[in-house]
Amino acid sequence: MRRIISVLMENEPGALSRVVGLFSQRGYNIETLTVAPTEDETLSRLTVTTVGDDHKIEQITKNLNKLIDVVKLVDLTEGQHIERELMLIKVKASGAQRAEIKRCVDIFRGQIIDVTSTVYTIQITGASDKLDAFVQSVGDAAILEVVRSGVSGISRGEKVLSL
Amino acid sequence: MGAHKVSAAYSVRIIIGFLKEEKQVEMLSGGDMLIRSLQEEGVDLIFGYPGGAALHIYDAIFKQDKVKHILVRHEQSATHAADGYTRATGRVGTVLVTSGPGATNAITGIATAYMDSIPMVVISGQVATDKIGEDAFQETDMVGVSRPIVKHSFMVKHASEIPEIIKKAYHIASTGRPGPVVVDVPKNTVDPMETFPFEYPKKLKMRSYTPAAKGHSGQIKKAVSMLLKAKRPIIYSGGGVVQGEASKLLTELAQKLGYPVTNTLMGLGAYPGNDKQFVGMLGMHGTFEANTAMHHCDLILAVGARFDDRVTNTTSKFCPNAKIIHIDIDPASISKTITADVPIVGSVDSVLTEMLDLLKESKEKPDEAALSDWWEQINEWRERHGIYTQPRYNTSGDMIMPQDVIKTLYEVTNGDAIVASDVGQHQMFAAQYYPFKSPRQWINSGGLGTMGFGLPAAMGAAFAFRDKDIVCVTGEGSIQMCIQELSTLTQYGLPVKIICLNNQALGMVKQWQDMVYDSRYSEIHYEDSLPDFVKLMEAYGHVGIRVNKKEELREKMEECFALKDRVVFMDIYVDPSEHVYPMLVAPGGSMRDMWLSKTERT
Ligand SMILES: Cc1cc2nc3c(=O)[nH]c(=O)nc-3n(C[C@H](O)[C@H](O)[C@H](O)COP(=O)(O)OP(=O)(O)OC[C@H]3O[C@@H](n4cnc5c(N)ncnc54)[C@H](O)[C@@H]3O)c2cc1C
Ligand SMILES: Cc1ncc(C[n+]2csc(CCOP(=O)(O)OP(=O)(O)O)c2C)c(N)n1
Ligand SMILES: [Mg+2]
């Protein structure tokens, strides 16, 4: 099962390396990882997506909690949540392709954010599978470069992860 | 960077502001602050070894006499000695090493402490902050190298942080599930020329670290009710009971219930080894009765033990009929390898206290009839293959049997010695044949299994207990891994007794090669190049006694312990072909599948 674990941790040097180190040390995999400071500059918010059965995920959350720098965490996939990922993608766009790609971008509610006579640079946000679908529909042949931010997530409704 | 780092300079200003009113605030250099902080923590000993990056700190040590520094002969020994001191006393051990090679030499000892959950603070010198990352002379990324084997680590960025970091280091090391903490100290932060106001924090606030204390009351109630309903119960207790100072409580609980108790290698002594309810160690080299009782029990009360693979054998075949109550302070230890039916996260002393209170209130009593059948069965197992009901090894040969060496050691020391061990067959014989009466009497590396641990660990214990017999049980292989500490024993006058079970081989490896590789002895022999240990001892100013006749064993052992003020090394030639039994059949076996001798299995 794919899980999105959201971690609030001390904004300390070395804290990120402890999280990443934990995953490699214990043989857990990291699919995506994002991290940045929050509105409180002493705290960072880290989101990690990983796959594993319930037992593995339980060990992952327990071991993350054991890290001294980790203040709180939540497995977002346990409840209603919103996930978003940002993708910047550069594709070949000349001749007949141009219109076709433009249409595709509209369908996926993306934006063309830079243009040359042969290239479109597109921005798309959404759940990871939506980005996957876009990549697929544009097709390998047209793609020049893909940059994805990794998943960020937040709970729906009134639930918050804060101090 | 977090708030308290950016604000270092700012807080200095505030404190200086304060200074005007409270004149008594002292100005100290980082190095002096470090040592003063250790004093404030009540540290009496540091085990260490100097070098360039640590020189400012060594100068601060020189200027005072409250914290005594012990100069070892290798940084690995510094960590093992601090570790041995901790295991013997319960007080956090302290280590000081220089950067680069000093720091990397300490790694094995840090990993050893980490695997056995031993609290330790390791202070490492580091190159100056502005040189970090430049491949400076003796620069090693100590925080990085040690990261997977520490509970936490700190890098000092400014001298003014030192008191708080030291306070946190000792707090983190010693609370919750204990473990080693590294404090990396760049040379410029301990510069004697720069002074800052010193105040040792009285309290700590750490929003991200709140170790469990009390267990969940509902779970504890449920556990007690299950305990009282059990027909074939067993108490499986481990190192957490020793670490958590809960040996008395465990003993009281077990005796109130009348249930059998087994200990892990790390838990030996937590329940008196000579009590009739004790069925011996369990696991790989556990007793027949302990392992068989585990397999057939209907309830396991696991207390401060972590279901290690040396204990469980094949997890899918582990104790098929048992319900499991698991008390551990670390949630990650619970349901890691074996799923618990009743998990209780909390410290052993608090949980056991609550359990005892509930038992005292309860009108229910253990099922007498079932329990008496259970004991009858266990006693039958004891009679059948138990190592304490009769010798299960050859007693009629000419050679000295390693088991007899440990039995003699037990008798000569009246069972009261503090015994540190190295790693190998001798370790297992010591665990099996020296029934430890009390916790902190048995000091060994279980989780990492570090050869070379024994002598420095015994040395650490010897600093704490000058009036007890301190023994290092070792093999001719292990002893050579930290043998340089013989010189430290000379320097500090520590009369450690070294009992070397000399089987002229890496015996434990040889046993596996006998059993799994058809006796193809790959790289385990060195008998022609062993040193003359007696002469070697003399060179260090100690006493060496060689024993190769069975009938001389006891007399020479007595001679050894009569030399109260001397280090004595007993080089005892034992049967080189002897194996340790019982031994779980692995891989693929359950806990009841054991080799009982070279030819017999269950
Ligand atoms: C050659 C060799 C052979 C071995 N053979 C065996 C064998 O036959 N049998 C055997 O048992 N071991 C054997 N071992 C040792 C084995 O590898 C493990 O080290 C050992 O089994 C672990 O012991 P433990 O479960 O008591 O856990 P420990 O490593 O002692 O861990 C203690 C547990 O208690 C918890 N804890 C700590 N403090 C507290 C507290 N205050 N409150 C609550 N919980 C707390 C910790 O979180 C941890 O989970 C062998 C080792 C070697 C080197
Ligand atoms: C540092 C280290 N290296 C290797 C091992 C693997 N090992 C475990 S026991 C053993 C043999 C120990 O020999 P000795 O000290 O003579 O003890 P014996 O088994 O012969 O009693 C070895 C090599 C280890 N545990 N630690
Ligand atoms: Mg040997």
Side-chain angles (χ1 to χ4, degrees):
Chain A
M1 252 270 279
R2 174 173 173 274
R3 304 293 189 109
I4 306 172
I5 299 169
S6 206
V7 181
L8 213 49
M9 61 187 198
E10 299 288 353
N11 184 10
E12 288 277 340
L16 177 61
S17 75
R18 289 182 218 273
V19 172
V20 174
L22 173 72
F23 274 75
S24 68
Q25 174 181 4
R26 299 211 179 249
Y28 309 144
N29 72 41
I30 296 181
E31 302 240 298
T32 74
L33 177 74
T34 66
V35 56
T38 65
E39 85 287 2
D40 173 350
E41 64 162 22
T42 68
L43 287 172
S44 288
R45 175 86 172 231
L46 176 148
T47 311
V48 58
T49 56
T50 181
V51 270
D53 56 22
D54 288 353
H55 176 252
K56 184 151 257 173
I57 300 297
E58 185 179 323
Q59 280 297 314
I60 292 177
T61 54
K62 282 173 167 178
N63 279 300
L64 278 171
N65 262 318
K66 251 170 88 171
L67 293 177
I68 308 290
D69 288 332
V70 168
V71 187
K72 258 186 185 174
L73 62 80
V74 62
D75 177 352
L76 290 174
T77 23
E78 275 181 352
Q80 295 270 319
H81 66 281
I82 299 160
E83 84 171 82
R84 286 290 179 273
E85 191 176 356
L86 168 71
M87 175 165 67
L88 301 177
I89 177 168
K90 208 171 261 196
V91 297
K92 283 184 224 155
S94 48
Q97 268 180 321
R98 272 179 104 81
E100 175 66 27
I101 287 177
K102 174 80 174 67
R103 232 179 351 259
C104 199
V105 170
D106 291 341
I107 293 168
F108 281 86
R109 292 170 200 274
Q111 290 135 333
I112 297 171
I113 52 173
D114 192 33
V115 201
T116 73
S117 56
T118 54
V119 169
Y120 278 156
T121 302
I122 301 154
Q123 164 186 317
I124 296 194
T125 53
S128 303
D129 49 4
K130 171 178 157 185
L131 307 195
D132 294 342
F134 180 79
V135 168
Q136 217 173 14
S137 47
V138 174
D140 274 355
I143 294 175
L144 295 167
E145 189 178 349
V146 173
V147 185
R148 295 174 66 150
S149 64
V151 174
S152 290
I154 198 161
S155 303
R156 279 196 184 276
E158 314 214 324
K159 239 169 100 182
V160 289
L161 178 64
S162 66
L163 283 189
Chain B
M1 239 192 189
H4 76 269
K5 279 170 285 96
V6 224
S7 64
Y10 176 64
S11 59
V12 167
R13 238 180 292 134
I14 299 183
I15 298 172
I16 292 173
F18 252 97
L19 246 171
K20 293 186 183 126
E21 295 130 58
E22 294 180 43
K23 304 176 264 313
Q24 67 268 50
V25 174
E26 281 172 274
M27 299 296 287
L28 293 181
S29 73
D32 289 333
M33 279 201 229
L34 178 60
I35 301 305
R36 273 290 293 281
S37 301
L38 296 181
Q39 291 175 5
E40 298 279 346
E41 280 298 318
V43 173
D44 54 351
L45 291 179
I46 315 182
F47 299 89
Y49 209 89
L55 284 178
H56 292 335
I57 304 173
Y58 272 87
D59 197 46
I61 289 177
F62 185 83
K63 291 188 293 192
Q64 53 87 56
D65 56 8
K66 288 208 181 98
V67 179
K68 192 172 170 219
H69 180 275
I70 308 301
L71 179 66
V72 295
R73 298 296 180 269
H74 188 301
E75 290 87 352
Q76 180 182 346
S77 310
T79 50
H80 292 331
D83 184 329
Y85 169 86
T86 300
R87 294 188 205 225
T89 61
R91 295 198 291 271
V92 183
T94 307
V95 176
L96 173 58
V97 295
T98 189
S99 67
T104 54
N105 270 351
I107 291 295
T108 299
I110 298 174
T112 303
Y114 179 74
M115 289 296 279
D116 289 341
S117 308
I118 304 300
M120 177 184 291
V121 173
V122 179
I123 299 163
S124 49
Q126 182 56 279
V127 302
T129 315
D130 62 350
K131 296 232 164 32
I132 287 178
E134 293 183 354
D135 303 319
F137 177 61
Q138 298 197 323
E139 179 188 356
T140 297
D141 173 10
M142 180 57 167
V143 166
V145 168
S146 64
R147 202 210 65 242
I149 50 164
V150 295
K151 183 167 172 187
H152 196 56
S153 46
F154 295 93
M155 157 83 81
V156 175
K157 273 148 278 137
H158 190 273
S160 60
E161 299 174 350
I162 288 175
E164 187 175 326
I165 287 180
I166 293 296
K167 178 98 184 169
K168 282 185 179 168
Y170 281 88
H171 176 64
I172 292 170
S174 60
T175 52
R177 180 178 185 166
V181 174
V182 162
V183 181
D184 205 28
V185 186
K187 193 166 181 180
N188 56 307
T189 66
V190 284
D191 185 342
M193 304 307 285
E194 290 180 37
T195 61
F196 301 91
F198 172 78
E199 201 175 2
Y200 199 64
K202 291 198 175 54
K203 272 204 265 147
L204 268 187
K205 244 186 31 224
M206 290 186 70
R207 61 183 174 187
S208 64
Y209 177 65
T210 40
K214 266 174 59 65
H216 187 281
S217 311
Q219 293 289 84
I220 298 177
K221 272 206 192 85
K222 196 163 150 196
V224 168
S225 126
M226 274 167 75
L227 266 177
L228 287 168
K229 288 190 178 64
K231 308 259 182 258
R232 297 184 311 280
I234 188 160
I235 299 174
Y236 150 51
S237 81
V241 178
V242 177
Q243 296 296 321
E245 307 288 356
S247 161
K248 280 215 174 65
L249 291 166
L250 176 83
T251 308
E252 192 184 337
L253 181 85
Q255 297 188 345
K256 195 166 176 57
L257 291 165
Y259 292 176
V261 182
T262 180
N263 279 161
T264 66
L265 181 71
M266 300 313 296
L268 293 176
Y271 188 86
N274 42 10
D275 185 86
K276 62 181 189 321
Q277 272 172 246
F278 186 60
V279 294
M281 181 170 83
L282 81 170
M284 178 64 79
H285 293 297
T287 63
F288 173 76
E289 54 270 36
N291 286 341
T292 314
M294 282 292 284
H295 186 85
H296 291 286
C297 75
D298 68 350
L299 181 80
I300 296 171
L301 174 63
V303 195
R306 57 185 175 84
F307 294 85
D308 184 77
D309 54 72
R310 301 288 91 176
V311 165
T312 58
N313 214 1
T314 314
T315 49
S316 59
K317 295 182 182 166
F318 178 76
C319 304
N321 309 312
K323 286 261 175 276
I324 296 169
I325 302 167
H326 191 179
I327 307 170
D328 202 296
I329 200 157
D330 177 5
S333 272
I334 296 180
S335 298
K336 178 176 61 178
T337 58
I338 299 287
T339 306
D341 297 284
V342 185
I344 303 175
V345 179
S347 76
V348 275
D349 57 341
S350 128
V351 176
L352 291 181
T353 305
E354 264 189 71
M355 284 189 155
L356 275 165
D357 289 346
L358 287 174
L359 274 180
K360 281 172 198 155
E361 287 163 20
S362 170
K363 282 179 228 57
E364 239 180 298
K365 292 275 164 286
D367 182 337
E368 287 299 331
L371 196 57
S372 126
D373 288 350
W374 182 224
W375 272 115
E376 197 176 318
Q377 174 64 73
I378 291 172
N379 287 330
E380 191 271 322
W381 287 328
R382 281 172 161 163
E383 288 303 321
R384 205 184 324 158
H385 296 300
I387 55 172
Y388 306 121
T389 43
Q390 54 171 289
R392 307 289 171 176
Y393 52 92
N394 179 15
T395 51
S396 58
D398 295 336
M399 267 186 278
I400 302 176
M401 298 306 286
Q403 296 90 336
D404 285 329
V405 176
I406 305 296
K407 285 184 179 175
T408 311
L409 175 68
Y410 181 81
E411 287 159 21
V412 171
T413 57
N414 200 21
D416 290 326
I418 293 181
V419 180
S421 172
D422 262 306
V423 171
Q425 290 182 317
H426 59 273
Q427 175 189 22
M428 294 298 111
F429 289 128
Q432 292 177 332
Y433 291 94
Y434 200 111
F436 296 96
K437 297 177 198 170
S438 44
R440 304 201 178 281
Q441 214 190 329
W442 167 239
I443 296 173
N444 83 134
S445 163
L448 200 67
T450 310
M451 289 171 69
F453 174 80
L455 184 60
M459 182 168 93
F463 276 105
F465 295 99
R466 295 267 177 181
D467 50 345
K468 281 199 180 170
D469 286 327
I470 311 286
V471 177
C472 166
V473 171
T474 187
E476 78 302 318
S478 294
I479 193 67
Q480 295 189 74
M481 283 208 179
C482 276
I483 199 158
Q484 71 287 344
E485 298 313 316
L486 288 169
S487 166
T488 315
L489 297 179
T490 315
Q491 183 171 355
Y492 296 95
L494 301 165
V496 171
K497 305 294 186 280
I498 302 162
I499 309 298
C500 177
L501 306 194
N502 189 338
N503 53 10
Q504 302 113 68
L506 300 172
M508 184 55 96
V509 177
K510 184 179 177 188
Q511 174 164 350
W512 281 73
Q513 291 178 347
D514 278 329
M515 297 175 76
V516 187
Y517 302 91
D518 242 343
S519 299
R520 288 188 299 279
Y521 296 138
S522 179
E523 305 296 323
I524 48 126
H525 280 134
Y526 41 42
E527 62 267 47
D528 298 334
S529 52
L530 283 174
D532 179 335
F533 286 113
V534 174
K535 281 209 189 112
L536 186 68
M537 287 307 121
E538 283 162 7
Y540 278 105
H542 304 319
V543 181
I545 302 178
R546 182 167 300 123
V547 193
N548 35 33
K549 292 202 190 68
K550 210 173 175 176
E551 56 283 3
E552 289 178 357
L553 175 63
R554 185 168 182 112
E555 175 196 326
K556 295 220 164 149
M557 186 89 78
E558 278 166 355
E559 191 185 313
C560 160
F561 283 91
L563 293 168
K564 286 276 170 234
D565 303 327
R566 302 297 298 277
V567 175
V568 186
F569 184 106
M570 293 194 72
D571 186 19
I572 307 172
Y573 279 71
V574 296
D575 183 349
S577 66
E578 183 58 338
H579 285 179
V580 182
Y581 292 109
M583 179 167 173
L584 289 176
V585 175
S590 74
M591 280 194 84
R592 71 170 161 182
D593 302 316
M594 279 167 272
W595 286 101
L596 300 165
S597 70
K598 285 184 186 168
T599 51
E600 227 181 328
R601 58 164 286 190
T602 55

